[in-house]
Amino acid sequence: MPAPSNFLNSMATNAKQQAAMRKQAAVHGFPRLSATSKALILLPILLLAFTYLIVYPKEFELQALMSSCGQPPTGSYTTAANNPSSSLPFSTTVHAYARPNNPEFRLLIGVLTRADFYERRHLLRMVYGLQLASPSLSAQIDVRFVFCRLYKDDQRVLVPLEILAHGDVIVLDGCEENLNGGKTHTFFSAVASLYADAPYDYVMKADDDIMFRLPELAASLGAMPRQDMYYGATIPCGSMDPGKGYMSGMGYALSWDLVEWLAGAEEVTKGRIVGTEDKMTGEWLRLGGKGRNRFNAKPAMYDYPLPVPVDSCSHAFVPDTIAVHRLKDNPRWAHALSYFNFTAALKPSKFYKFDP
């Protein structure tokens, strides 16, 4: 317990100090702050400024990037969703590849396949995607996978997912899945309507077991007429005369005017829809007096080389190949892709190693 006199002296001193602080506050507004106090006040302000100016913009960029990755492509594709009798439109954007600024021509390749062949479409996207990305390609070539009305519950989920991811699927509402039951005619008729506002120069029907070398195909088609043109590999196999027979269903092209004509040529197609599809196409053109400009791409278009060929449509790989047909399984695909050096651009990496 301090002595009374000391206690009174201490109280007096404190009173003087408080009076001095009130006087200073009255003059200057606030007492002077030490360096430590200033740092403690400024630090939160700097953190807020950093968050507002640096972190938020980057976060918005990241959100925009992630959002754009999931955005569907532009264009209208139709498929049956929950109800097979109805169609569901998808706004999608087809994946962009390097395209020539002034393409010599525009080609649509419709790969007629089945909805359940997911693995095959994955392979074809890789094979054609690598070629479409080449800046040396002289034509605009668009590849679409075509099948008839969906009929299974899993297809009505997985195919729309595929469309959202790739935007390269056409589902034909006007047919049940078939090989020679009219699918080809439905395809050409649908294309004439779907692309009427932006027609292609050529439309090609292709099987899903054929591999086209797109630069070679573009070089070959680039020399063709743009009107009344019928292009492919002649049948029968031993014939080299495009004026006789018809073009093999492995893959043949029609000029746009023939596609439009076929869509409305009921006088020649009625009663002739069902049958061997490539033969029927040749028959339509013959009856209508169309396809006078014909080109046989053999021997650059041919069937996979068999140890014992069953006909002359099959022969050994050749350097100037345009297309190889009857690639029925992965070993055949691997053989063809290896011969034409499709993986030559692969660079060494620590992330993979392939034993010989």
Side-chain angles (χ1 to χ4, degrees):
M1 183 75 182
S5 59
N6 291 338
F7 177 75
L8 292 174
N9 290 335
S10 175
M11 291 288 292
T13 301
N14 289 337
K16 291 179 180 179
Q17 289 176 346
Q18 291 175 4
M21 291 178 65
R22 284 195 295 270
K23 182 178 180 181
Q24 184 179 18
V27 176
H28 299 289
F30 292 98
R32 291 185 178 181
L33 300 176
S34 66
T36 301
S37 299
K38 292 179 180 177
L40 290 174
I41 294 173
L42 288 175
L43 182 60
I45 297 174
L46 291 174
L47 286 174
L48 286 172
F50 176 80
T51 302
Y52 181 78
L53 297 175
I54 305 298
V55 176
Y56 276 14
K58 294 297 181 183
E59 182 178 346
F60 294 149
E61 289 177 13
L62 179 61
Q63 290 175 351
L65 177 62
M66 294 178 68
S67 175
S68 67
C69 289
Q71 286 297 325
T74 55
S76 183
Y77 301 87
T78 307
T79 183
N82 297 323
N83 184 350
S85 64
S86 65
S87 59
L88 174 65
F90 285 92
S91 260
T92 54
T93 272
V94 177
H95 286 250
Y97 297 105
R99 291 187 172 182
N101 294 326
N102 297 299
E104 293 181 14
F105 61 89
R106 298 176 68 240
L107 167 66
L108 174 68
I109 299 178
V111 179
L112 272 61
T113 184
R114 300 178 71 90
D116 287 335
F117 292 179
Y118 301 103
E119 181 185 357
R120 178 59 55 85
R121 289 195 293 279
H122 174 66
L123 174 60
L124 289 170
R125 285 188 181 105
M126 291 190 293
V127 170
Y128 291 136
L130 287 171
Q131 298 181 77
L132 290 171
S134 171
S136 63
L137 196 63
S138 61
Q140 177 186 328
I141 300 178
D142 295 328
V143 179
R144 300 291 179 268
F145 298 98
V146 183
F147 32 85
C148 289
R149 186 179 298 117
L150 307 180
Y151 63 96
K152 295 196 299 189
D153 289 341
D154 61 313
Q155 293 174 350
R156 297 180 190 119
V157 175
L158 298 181
V159 170
L161 188 67
E162 194 175 348
I163 292 173
L164 290 171
H166 301 287
D168 57 2
V169 168
I170 297 175
V171 179
L172 303 174
D173 287 334
C175 67
E176 299 294 337
E177 195 58 67
N178 66 85
L179 178 62
N180 294 312
K183 183 176 180 179
T184 296
H185 182 267
T186 305
F187 164 65
F188 282 125
S189 299
V191 164
S193 174
L194 289 171
Y195 298 101
D197 294 336
Y200 288 85
D201 295 294
Y202 306 113
V203 177
M204 173 170 275
K205 174 266 168 187
D207 288 346
D208 62 6
D209 63 346
I210 189 171
M211 179 190 76
F212 279 101
R213 300 176 71 206
L214 297 184
E216 286 72 17
L217 175 62
S220 180
L221 273 177
M224 298 295 105
R226 302 291 192 264
Q227 298 287 322
D228 203 26
M229 198 282 300
Y230 183 30
Y231 171 102
T234 55
I235 296 293
C237 292
S239 172
M240 295 295 288
D241 183 359
K244 297 179 180 180
Y246 53 92
M247 302 301 176
S248 167
M250 68 168 78
Y252 55 86
L254 300 177
S255 54
W256 181 259
D257 61 305
L258 292 183
V259 174
E260 287 187 310
W261 170 77
L262 269 181
E266 188 176 353
E267 67 279 5
V268 299
T269 61
K270 186 176 182 179
R272 300 183 181 90
I273 300 295
V274 177
T276 305
E277 64 87 16
D278 49 4
K279 187 175 183 179
M280 299 284 31
T281 300
E283 183 71 359
W284 300 331
L285 296 175
R286 185 187 67 79
L287 291 173
K290 300 289 185 178
R292 296 184 182 278
N293 296 314
R294 301 188 174 207
F295 184 79
N296 173 31
K298 294 193 304 189
M301 290 179 65
Y302 53 92
D303 287 345
Y304 179 82
L306 299 173
V308 181
V310 295
D311 53 45
S312 57
C313 284
S314 172
H315 60 74
F317 293 134
V318 293
D320 61 349
T321 293
I322 293 174
V324 182
H325 183 224
R326 296 196 182 280
L327 301 177
K328 297 294 186 182
D329 52 38
N330 286 344
R332 288 190 179 187
W333 275 97
H335 186 196
L337 293 169
S338 176
Y339 179 87
F340 295 108
N341 297 316
F342 265 70
T343 59
L346 187 68
K347 293 179 172 57
S349 171
K350 65 180 181 180
F351 294 106
Y352 49 76
K353 180 181 179 182
F354 303 106
D355 296 326

